Amino acid sequence: MATIHTDLEKEHLAHHEHVHHDDDHHESFVQKYIFSQDHKVISRQFLITAIIMALIGMTMSIIFRIQLAWPGEKFAFINAILGDKWAKDGILDPNMYLALVTIHGTIMVFFVLTGGLSGTFSNLLIPYQIGARDMASGFLNMLSYWFFFTSSVIMIGSCFINDGPASAGWTVYPPLSALPEGIPGSKLGMTLWLISMALFIVSSLLGSLNYIVTVVNLRAKGMKMTRLPLTVWSFLITAIIGVLSFPVLVSCVVLLIMDRSFGTSFYLSDIYIGGRPLDNMGGSPILFEHLFWFLGHPEVYIVIMPAFGITSEIISTNARKPIFGYRAMIGSLLAIGFLSCIVWAHHMFVTGMSPFLGSVFVFTTLLIAIPSAVKAFNYITTLWKGNIQFTPAMLFSIGLVSSFITGGVTGIILADSTLDITVHDTYFVVAHFHVVMGLSAIFGMFAGVYHWFPKMFLRMMNKKLGYLHFWLTFMCSYGVFLPMHFVGLAGVPRRYYTNSNFPIFDSIVDINIVITICAIVGGLAQLIFVFNFFYSIFRGEKAPQNPWNSNTLEWTTPMANIHGNWPGELPTVHRWSYDYSKPGAERDFIPQTVPLQEGEQDGGEH
């Protein structure tokens, strides 16, 4: 391994010395900022694309929330956005309602929380924090982004076709997704959805393989695995989970395409359309669910684990304390990675699986709560008696801890098959996964942007706008999803176009209005972030070398975006990344490049 490391490093160093001297003079704008192979530029490309996709997904959610709060009311702006075909007289069409729910879920889960979070911060931080010039393969890294971008364009483009976008829910269960004649959203829109997801999976696999090889082979001298920041550990384990689980979704998508276009019946059971049986029958939609959720549940942790890593770094830095239980945190990440692959069928308790098999998945699902709780307790213990600096990044990190604990409590309810069967198709499940996965990951993403913005753009974001953004987002998020739990317990089914036809639900009309108002205010709050982000890129205060007094290697690079990160020799690492407020030290932080004193212990070694 040492030989491989040395050879790769020599090749990498030689390549980037050449790049560093030549690129600034010879690269065109297109080479430098569009088809770039620099991990820093690619991370910015992922982030800006994800922000645009998030705004689109958020707008979709506000439109269908308005329909739920005021069914049958006319809204001119909905007609202006969707046109007469899908919102005649300003009233949302039922087919478009389901399509918006589908594309909103797809965008947020895959294009914002997966591609945006991992693509941005794995690219930015892995080379920086392990002391590498760049990713193992800059070319594959560039391809990863452009597959992601192409996939995004196709997904959004599917919203403009005549029959409308895919509308079988973001999980695209057959038979709706497998029968083009089923509903309008099962036609070309569904085909484009499948093509888009196939390209997205290619992007994710290219990125994940690159991240793994980079961490294993290109660590700086002295950067042992026990000295890696928890950010890098989380990105590494996330990439491994992605490599193991995303290919299963490929097979799932390929079989669905064959059922739609080539006359097979992997997912088509005994179905009659217009009184006539299908020509090809005998399959099972349950097979699709097994394949989909074998990716789908690891996907939850592909989304949340990078946010865990970001939060670990930010909480330790801003509490001015070493992270509590460093090795326990690594162990919990590894345990979560393993267990996430053997709990998928808790999404399928309502499919009629045998009670014994259900009990097995109840056990594994409850088991995964243990390493998750380890992380939550370690965050709280790190905060305990810390000299806390309440930066916007720190507030969002604490918000992540709050939302993850809140969502975890309801997760224990859903882990029990008997209770899950009762509430599975209600808004209780919607509330749970939005809090535990959506909110937590989004909070982690915001925290990462505020914390590493100086490294990405060499400027500071406005703190006051950051505080306003956090408090509005935090309050509105709970205003949306906390009441939704009670709506679900009242039995309100998810994905229904309107509940006004059911007198039993008349009592929750006002709650739906409160939820929608909070969603609208929360959506507008994100415009504060968007303004702060883009304004600060060009007009923000210039960032100092190490604005947060952090220990990790990225803050030792020059405050200039050179391709190669360090102009001379790569740094040598002497200690772990969490030496904050160490007794006897002159300052309350000691960068990883500072040698250990005689008799001083390395925190990562014990």
Side-chain angles (χ1 to χ4, degrees):
M1 180 64 73
T3 306
I4 295 173
H5 184 287
T6 305
D7 291 346
L8 276 170
E9 188 56 68
K10 283 180 181 174
E11 184 182 335
H12 223 58
L13 179 59
H15 168 71
H16 284 292
E17 285 299 327
H18 174 75
V19 168
H20 175 57
H21 290 302
D22 293 348
D23 276 6
D24 291 339
H25 304 291
H26 298 105
E27 278 191 330
S28 66
F29 177 86
V30 171
Q31 290 172 311
K32 197 167 185 179
Y33 295 107
I34 299 178
F35 295 110
S36 174
Q37 296 185 29
D38 183 354
H39 72 101
K40 299 181 290 296
V41 175
I42 292 171
S43 75
R44 297 198 288 267
Q45 290 174 324
F46 269 106
L47 179 58
I48 291 171
T49 306
I51 289 173
I52 294 168
M53 294 296 282
L55 290 172
I56 295 170
M58 183 181 68
T59 304
M60 291 178 173
S61 68
I62 289 172
I63 291 173
F64 64 70
R65 278 303 327 170
I66 287 172
Q67 160 59 31
L68 288 170
W70 298 286
E73 295 286 329
K74 298 179 180 179
F75 292 90
F77 84 94
I78 295 180
N79 176 266
I81 294 172
L82 298 177
D84 288 336
K85 179 176 176 64
W86 300 115
K88 190 173 183 182
D89 299 326
I91 300 173
L92 185 62
D93 181 83
N95 286 310
M96 180 50 70
Y97 171 85
L98 185 54
L100 291 176
V101 171
T102 301
I103 304 300
H104 161 77
T106 304
I107 286 175
M108 299 308 288
V109 170
F110 294 108
F111 294 93
V112 179
L113 299 179
T114 304
L117 192 52
S118 278
T120 299
F121 293 104
S122 295
N123 267 302
L124 178 70
L125 296 179
I126 286 177
Y128 265 151
Q129 293 193 337
I130 68 171
R133 300 277 178 197
D134 205 325
M135 285 290 175
S137 172
F139 180 71
L140 288 184
N141 209 16
M142 178 192 73
L143 284 183
S144 173
Y145 170 71
W146 283 103
F147 273 112
F148 173 75
F149 179 80
T150 306
S151 172
S152 305
V153 169
I154 292 172
M155 187 62 69
I156 299 304
S158 73
C159 298
F160 296 94
I161 61 175
N162 191 48
D163 293 320
S167 44
W170 77 273
T171 56
V172 295
Y173 284 171
L176 280 182
S177 59
L179 294 171
E181 62 269 39
I183 55 175
S186 296
K187 296 188 173 108
L188 178 59
M190 179 57 66
T191 302
L192 291 174
W193 190 98
L194 294 169
I195 293 170
S196 172
M197 287 310 302
L199 294 174
F200 176 84
I201 294 164
V202 172
S203 164
S204 296
L205 289 174
L206 288 175
S208 295
L209 290 169
N210 220 350
Y211 306 150
I212 293 167
V213 173
T214 304
V215 173
V216 170
N217 285 321
L218 297 182
R219 299 192 305 280
K221 183 179 179 182
M223 181 60 85
K224 297 183 284 190
M225 296 298 283
T226 51
R227 288 176 175 169
L228 285 176
L230 289 171
T231 37
V232 178
W233 270 107
S234 68
F235 299 145
L236 174 63
I237 297 168
T238 300
I240 293 170
I241 299 173
V243 168
L244 293 174
S245 58
F246 268 115
V248 180
L249 187 61
V250 174
S251 66
C252 180
V253 166
V254 168
L255 297 184
L256 186 55
I257 290 171
M258 292 178 73
D259 274 10
R260 287 173 56 82
S261 306
F262 298 105
T264 59
S265 58
F266 293 104
Y267 306 134
L268 297 172
S269 55
D270 301 342
I271 298 172
Y272 289 76
I273 296 181
R276 293 182 60 253
L278 289 179
D279 294 331
N280 43 323
M281 298 190 299
S284 170
I286 305 299
L287 170 62
F288 178 93
E289 293 191 32
H290 278 293
L291 293 172
F292 181 89
W293 287 114
F294 190 82
L295 159 88
H297 198 79
E299 170 66 16
V300 171
Y301 291 98
I302 289 171
V303 163
I304 195 66
M305 284 174 76
F308 282 157
I310 288 167
T311 296
S312 301
E313 181 69 24
I314 293 171
I315 284 180
S316 180
T317 300
N318 288 287
R320 313 311 294 166
K321 280 179 65 182
I323 194 78
F324 182 83
Y326 172 76
R327 290 191 172 231
M329 294 287 260
I330 295 172
S332 67
L333 286 170
L334 291 167
I336 289 171
F338 170 71
L339 290 170
S340 71
C341 296
I342 57 171
V343 296
W344 77 88
H346 70 219
H347 297 271
M348 300 170 56
F349 287 147
V350 294
T351 60
M353 69 167 61
S354 76
F356 172 76
L357 187 58
S359 69
V360 172
F361 284 99
V362 168
F363 174 73
T364 57
T365 305
L366 291 173
L367 203 58
I368 206 170
I370 297 172
S372 301
V374 167
K375 300 199 73 60
F377 287 129
N378 284 16
Y379 290 141
I380 293 168
T381 312
T382 304
L383 290 167
W384 179 251
K385 294 188 176 179
N387 180 22
I388 300 175
Q389 319 292 308
F390 286 107
T391 63
M394 184 62 158
L395 289 175
F396 273 108
S397 296
I398 295 170
L400 180 149
V401 178
S402 164
S403 62
F404 189 70
I405 292 172
T406 305
V409 170
T410 55
I412 293 173
I413 295 170
L414 293 172
D416 186 295
S417 55
T418 310
L419 297 175
D420 179 79
I421 288 169
T422 307
V423 297
H424 187 85
D425 285 317
T426 72
Y427 271 93
F428 190 89
V429 168
V430 177
H432 160 75
F433 79 74
H434 273 87
V435 171
V436 79
M437 185 180 82
L439 277 191
S440 300
I442 283 287
F443 284 169
M445 191 170 181
F446 282 138
V449 172
Y450 281 107
H451 190 75
W452 281 287
F453 189 89
K455 208 65 230 169
M456 298 179 83
F457 298 103
L458 312 180
R459 294 181 182 271
M460 304 293 289
M461 291 183 76
N462 185 289
K463 267 191 180 182
K464 290 181 179 177
L465 289 179
Y467 293 140
L468 181 62
H469 172 225
F470 168 75
W471 286 112
L472 284 173
T473 301
F474 186 80
M475 290 187 291
C476 290
S477 298
Y478 273 95
V480 170
F481 299 115
L482 203 57
M484 210 177 275
H485 286 91
F486 299 101
V487 170
L489 290 174
V492 177
R494 52 180 169 158
R495 296 184 182 169
Y496 274 35
Y497 172 70
T498 177
N499 298 303
S500 57
N501 294 332
F502 307 95
I504 192 174
F505 298 137
D506 287 348
S507 59
I508 58 94
V509 170
D510 291 341
I511 299 178
N512 252 337
I513 292 173
V514 169
I515 291 171
T516 301
I517 290 171
C518 287
I520 293 169
V521 175
L524 293 174
Q526 305 320 304
L527 299 181
I528 298 171
F529 168 78
V530 172
F531 169 78
N532 194 2
F533 180 85
F534 287 104
Y535 180 84
S536 299
I537 289 175
F538 302 103
R539 304 293 296 275
E541 177 190 340
K542 292 220 171 148
Q545 175 73 32
N546 189 356
W548 319 119
N549 290 333
S550 297
N551 293 337
T552 42
L553 295 179
E554 71 268 27
W555 305 107
T556 67
T557 61
M559 293 306 287
N561 283 319
I562 61 170
H563 194 167
N565 297 336
W566 288 270
E569 291 184 9
L570 291 172
T572 300
V573 175
H574 298 281
R575 60 180 69 234
W576 73 327
S577 54
Y578 298 105
D579 271 337
Y580 293 104
S581 302
K582 196 161 189 176
E586 293 180 9
R587 299 182 296 178
D588 71 347
F589 71 104
I590 310 175
Q592 288 187 278
T593 51
V594 175
L596 291 166
Q597 301 298 313
E598 187 176 345
E600 185 183 0
Q601 285 189 316
D602 182 14
E605 297 296 329
H606 57 87

